[in-house]
Amino acid sequence: MRQMQNSFGPRGGGPRGAAGFQKMEGRKKEVLWRLIKYVVKNYKFSYLAVMVCIIISSVTTLASTLFTRTLIDDYIVPLTQADNPEYASLAQALFRLGLVLLFGVICSFTYNRLMIFVSQGTLLRLRKSMFEHMQRLPISYFDSHSHGNVMSTYTNDVDTLRQMVGNSLPQVFNTLITLCVTFVSMVVLSVPLTCVSILLAALMVFTTTKLGARSRSFFKVQQQSLAQVNGFIEEMMTGQKVVKVFCHEEETIRQFETINEQLRSSSYNANRIANIVMPVNGNLGNLGYVLIAVVGATIALASAPATAHFFAAEAFQPFSLSLGTIVAFLTLNKSFTQPIAHVSQQINSVLNASVGAERVFDLLDEKPERDEGTWTAKDGQWVSEERGEKRPIQGDVDFKDVDFSYVPEKQVLFDIDINTNPGQKIAFVGGTGAGKTTIINLINRFYDVQAGHILFDGIPIADIQKSSLRRSLGMVLQETHLFTGTVIDNIRYGRLEATDRECVEAAKLVGADDFIRRLANGYQTMLTGDGSNLSQGERQLLAIARAAVANPPVLILDEATSSIDTRTESLVQRGMDSLMHGRTTFVIAHRLSTVRNSDIINVMDHGRIIEQGNHEQLLALRGKYYQLYTGDNSLLS
């Protein structure tokens, strides 16, 4: 399983220090801004409606707060001093306020419903984009990334974006609107009290920023650890039989406990710091409430005639405050500090989402397979519209001085030179790691050669469109894979337009028809769990039938009969011979009995072809092939 490492230490230190931390911060802003643009791009009008509703909701909330001043100073105080109080005007004012608040509630309900639509729609599009892009990625990506890690991106990382898109983004916009309208109202009511509120708000922002910056590094490690846990579980589930055969349960448990503890530790550190933010800001908000009450009361008392001589504060007179103003300002202060506290409460989801979005966009930024081919396969011919040429598809595949390496520092193949004729059977034999499967990967252009050329009917395969090239190659892998669906659907996977009759004929050709008809529902039997209700040999037969129905000019058999018992192999071999008739066939086999009738047998060792010829020619050489075939090791001493 690919090990993932954080780019800096838990506290942002390490060899990169401040420079690494600044780079991380820049990356975070870039990712968040990209996510916002992605959402707004696809839901412009919905987000515009959300913004309008948020503005209206914020304004109606502010109106109710400001009404507190009017309620106290213009209604309650006068009514308490009147001999015959009249409540009609108060009732009318409260009714108007109720209508305003009702409108605000409707807007709040509307934008919350819209955000559910936007957030789920965004995740739908994001998963769709990820899956479509993943289908275009080269095989090398999946060779270097564990399946569990990729699955974690689809599940955990995408899910972290749901909370942010649905809650955090509108919360941020709501906060900005609320802060703006509340700030203007506070300045109108009292400049001195506004200054006190600004100082406390600045302290809250500073606290949120510092703690958030520290916790994000832990959230990044948390997401990486979660991916490792998922990858390990997926790997152990796939290899459960191997674990039990070798009694490896205890060691597996210990390994899981180690990576599970890493996840717990990183999650604890991330949430420990992030969860401090809300209580700290809450207490700072309470402190601000008390300070404003004290300062407001001081100014109000200093401006009153009965207490002015005690305070001797003529300077307070221009800032005189009424009781209603103080009460309204205290409510406004809550409206001013609460949004900051709400944002800090969302810090967990924001930080999680920024890391999740980074991993999602990393997948989307992976470079897809390059395909610069101009030749296409049409009606049994190679066609190049760019050159105005046509050539018949014959199945002549040649290697010309091919070198290849998966990584630059380690070359895998050296000077591979193979000349074939259409319809020949070419076999590759040799020990594990000799390079046999690598050659097959090059024919399919799962990887591209570093030097030399592979020619298909005289055309370099780099000049052939990959889709046309791969449709001209029927391949049976050593490890079979069946999809959820019926038996006939799995056979038809080789050529989706194939009829039921063609699928049945392909199954008969390779000897799979008998066992299929013995299944409960024959060709309509449902397969699940990669065909777990079939034997390994039966699964391999279906994979061979899948290649047969594709009817390609070239066949590639990578240990195609390795999972079939000797009796079944003899039955299949006749069908395989019929399938290979008239087609160029590349065969990788450890059972030398299956390659005896090959036209060319390539004996490989450490990435080189050390012997080449047919069965009789290689036996006459009394070299490596002779030793493999007869088991006589004395010739190699």
Side-chain angles (χ1 to χ4, degrees):
M1 181 169 52
R2 188 174 70 101
Q3 298 298 319
M4 305 176 67
Q5 297 179 348
N6 195 19
S7 58
F8 49 89
R11 300 182 179 273
R16 282 187 273 182
F21 179 77
Q22 291 173 359
K23 183 178 180 180
M24 179 272 292
E25 286 296 302
R27 172 65 170 162
K28 177 183 71 172
K29 295 176 182 177
E30 176 187 341
V31 167
L32 290 177
W33 179 240
R34 182 176 175 182
L35 177 61
I36 292 171
K37 289 195 295 184
Y38 184 90
V39 175
V40 174
K41 175 184 176 182
N42 295 299
Y43 295 95
K44 296 185 183 71
F45 297 108
S46 296
Y47 242 97
L48 180 62
V50 167
M51 293 180 186
V52 172
C53 289
I54 288 177
I55 292 174
I56 294 175
S57 178
S58 299
V59 170
T60 55
T61 302
L62 177 65
S64 66
T65 301
L66 293 176
F67 180 76
T68 306
R69 177 188 183 185
T70 303
L71 178 66
I72 295 175
D73 292 345
D74 297 346
Y75 292 100
I76 295 179
V77 173
L79 286 173
T80 58
Q81 296 173 354
D83 295 331
N84 297 308
E86 175 60 45
Y87 295 101
S89 59
L90 174 61
Q92 293 175 359
L94 291 175
F95 179 75
R96 290 193 297 271
L97 177 64
L99 291 178
V100 171
L101 292 177
L102 177 61
F103 186 53
V105 169
I106 293 174
C107 289
S108 179
F109 173 81
T110 301
Y111 93 72
N112 277 288
R113 289 296 298 269
L114 281 174
M115 285 314 303
I116 294 175
F117 168 75
V118 170
S119 61
Q120 294 301 324
T122 298
L123 298 189
L124 173 70
R125 289 174 177 269
L126 202 56
R127 285 191 293 263
K128 181 175 181 289
S129 298
M130 290 169 60
F131 189 80
E132 289 178 350
H133 184 72
M134 187 182 72
Q135 299 307 307
R136 300 184 181 95
L137 293 178
I139 292 294
S140 58
Y141 175 83
F142 301 99
D143 288 343
S144 59
H145 293 74
S146 72
H147 295 173
N149 183 33
V150 176
M151 283 301 302
S152 182
T153 305
Y154 275 92
T155 54
N156 301 312
D157 294 324
V158 170
D159 190 61
T160 61
L161 305 185
R162 175 185 55 80
Q163 180 71 18
M164 180 178 178
V165 173
N167 294 333
S168 300
L169 289 182
Q171 182 70 54
V172 169
F173 184 73
N174 193 5
T175 297
L176 294 176
I177 297 299
T178 302
L179 289 177
C180 290
V181 296
T182 303
F183 177 75
V184 173
S185 302
M186 290 168 63
V187 171
V188 172
L189 290 181
S190 174
V191 174
L193 297 184
T194 301
C195 293
V196 176
S197 294
I198 290 175
L199 289 175
L200 289 169
L203 182 59
M204 292 174 69
V205 170
F206 176 80
T207 302
T208 301
T209 302
K210 289 298 182 182
L211 292 177
R214 287 191 60 192
S215 63
R216 185 180 187 273
S217 61
F218 290 111
F219 274 110
K220 186 169 185 177
V221 177
Q222 173 187 305
Q223 290 300 104
Q224 293 173 342
S225 299
L226 185 58
Q228 290 184 14
V229 169
N230 289 337
F232 185 83
I233 293 173
E234 186 266 343
E235 185 177 323
M236 291 303 105
M237 289 178 64
T238 304
Q240 191 60 221
K241 290 183 180 178
V242 178
V243 172
K244 293 187 179 298
V245 164
F246 291 97
C247 302
H248 214 267
E249 293 91 342
E250 294 301 324
E251 177 61 25
T252 300
I253 292 172
R254 283 194 293 270
Q255 292 176 2
F256 179 77
E257 287 176 348
T258 300
I259 61 175
N260 196 33
E261 171 59 25
Q262 292 173 355
L263 174 59
R264 185 210 64 81
S265 177
S266 59
S267 299
Y268 170 77
N269 289 327
N271 290 281
R272 174 176 57 86
I273 298 175
N275 290 338
I276 292 174
V277 178
M278 184 58 184
V280 169
N281 282 338
N283 288 324
L284 288 175
N286 293 334
L287 176 62
Y289 190 89
V290 173
L291 286 177
I292 288 174
V294 171
V295 174
T298 302
I299 295 175
L301 291 174
S303 60
T307 57
H309 68 282
F310 176 78
F311 285 92
E314 291 78 3
F316 285 105
Q317 298 303 318
F319 304 110
S320 60
L321 298 175
S322 65
L323 177 61
T325 301
I326 295 176
V327 173
F329 197 96
L330 287 171
T331 306
L332 285 175
N333 179 68
K334 280 289 185 183
S335 300
F336 191 67
T337 56
Q338 275 183 350
I340 300 175
H342 289 162
V343 170
S344 66
Q345 190 176 17
Q346 296 290 333
I347 192 170
N348 288 31
S349 63
V350 172
L351 295 174
N352 252 329
S354 66
V355 174
E358 183 176 347
R359 285 167 51 82
V360 168
F361 288 134
D362 281 345
L363 188 150
L364 290 174
D365 290 339
E366 287 287 339
K367 293 182 179 179
E369 276 191 302
R370 295 181 59 187
D371 191 358
E372 300 173 353
T374 58
W375 289 84
T376 59
K378 293 181 180 178
D379 301 323
Q381 290 184 317
W382 294 117
V383 179
S384 175
E385 295 181 358
E386 183 179 277
R387 299 183 181 184
E389 294 183 34
K390 293 183 178 180
R391 300 184 186 181
I393 299 178
Q394 298 176 324
D396 183 5
V397 180
D398 298 324
F399 286 71
K400 303 295 184 182
D401 302 319
V402 170
D403 292 341
F404 174 75
S405 59
Y406 290 103
V407 291
E409 60 271 15
K410 185 177 181 181
Q411 189 168 339
V412 178
L413 297 180
F414 303 84
D415 302 320
I416 302 300
D417 195 58
I418 304 172
N419 295 310
T420 68
N421 293 317
Q424 285 188 323
K425 180 179 179 181
I426 300 94
F428 297 90
V429 298
T432 301
K436 305 183 298 296
T437 300
T438 298
I439 287 181
I440 301 304
N441 288 336
L442 295 181
I443 298 176
N444 281 280
R445 286 197 69 194
F446 290 157
Y447 294 88
D448 288 323
V449 301
Q450 275 78 49
H453 298 282
I454 301 176
L455 306 177
F456 199 131
D457 293 329
I459 305 170
I461 61 173
D463 295 338
I464 301 175
Q465 287 186 2
K466 288 185 176 180
S467 57
S468 292
L469 174 68
R470 290 169 184 170
R471 287 194 186 100
S472 302
L473 300 169
M475 189 169 185
V476 181
L477 299 171
Q478 182 176 1
E479 297 180 1
T480 61
H481 183 82
L482 301 178
F483 298 92
T484 299
T486 64
V487 169
I488 200 165
D489 286 339
N490 271 274
I491 296 175
R492 187 179 286 115
Y493 201 85
R495 183 163 55 92
L496 296 180
E497 63 273 15
T499 64
D500 288 355
R501 182 176 180 180
E502 289 174 325
C503 293
V504 172
E505 290 299 322
K508 289 180 178 179
L509 182 65
V510 301
D513 181 71
D514 289 341
F515 93 81
I516 293 175
R517 294 190 182 279
R518 289 196 299 269
L519 297 175
N521 297 307
Y523 283 87
Q524 300 304 320
T525 301
M526 286 294 298
L527 302 180
T528 58
D530 199 13
S532 58
N533 49 335
L534 301 178
S535 69
Q536 184 66 25
E538 290 170 340
R539 295 171 62 212
Q540 194 77 332
L541 284 172
L542 290 184
I544 296 171
R546 180 188 295 166
V549 81
N551 195 27
V554 177
L555 283 174
I556 299 175
L557 308 177
D558 185 0
E559 290 290 338
T561 59
S562 62
S563 301
I564 300 175
D565 59 78
T566 305
R567 177 181 175 277
T568 305
E569 182 182 4
S570 64
L571 297 175
V572 172
Q573 195 62 52
R574 291 194 297 270
M576 292 292 293
D577 291 340
S578 299
L579 177 62
M580 292 186 290
H581 180 71
R583 294 183 173 89
T584 305
T585 306
F586 291 88
V587 179
I588 295 177
H590 287 295
R591 295 179 185 175
L592 298 187
S593 59
T594 62
V595 300
R596 286 185 55 182
N597 61 345
S598 299
D599 299 288
I600 303 174
I601 301 175
N602 299 279
V603 183
M604 302 195 64
D605 185 49
H606 293 91
R608 299 179 185 274
I609 297 178
I610 59 174
E611 295 176 7
Q612 191 176 71
N614 59 33
H615 177 70
E616 290 75 16
Q617 291 171 338
L618 294 180
L619 286 180
L621 290 176
R622 298 178 67 84
K624 179 70 173 179
Y625 182 82
Y626 182 91
Q627 181 267 329
L628 292 172
Y629 189 76
T630 63
D632 187 355
N633 296 319
S634 62
L635 296 173
L636 300 179
S637 60

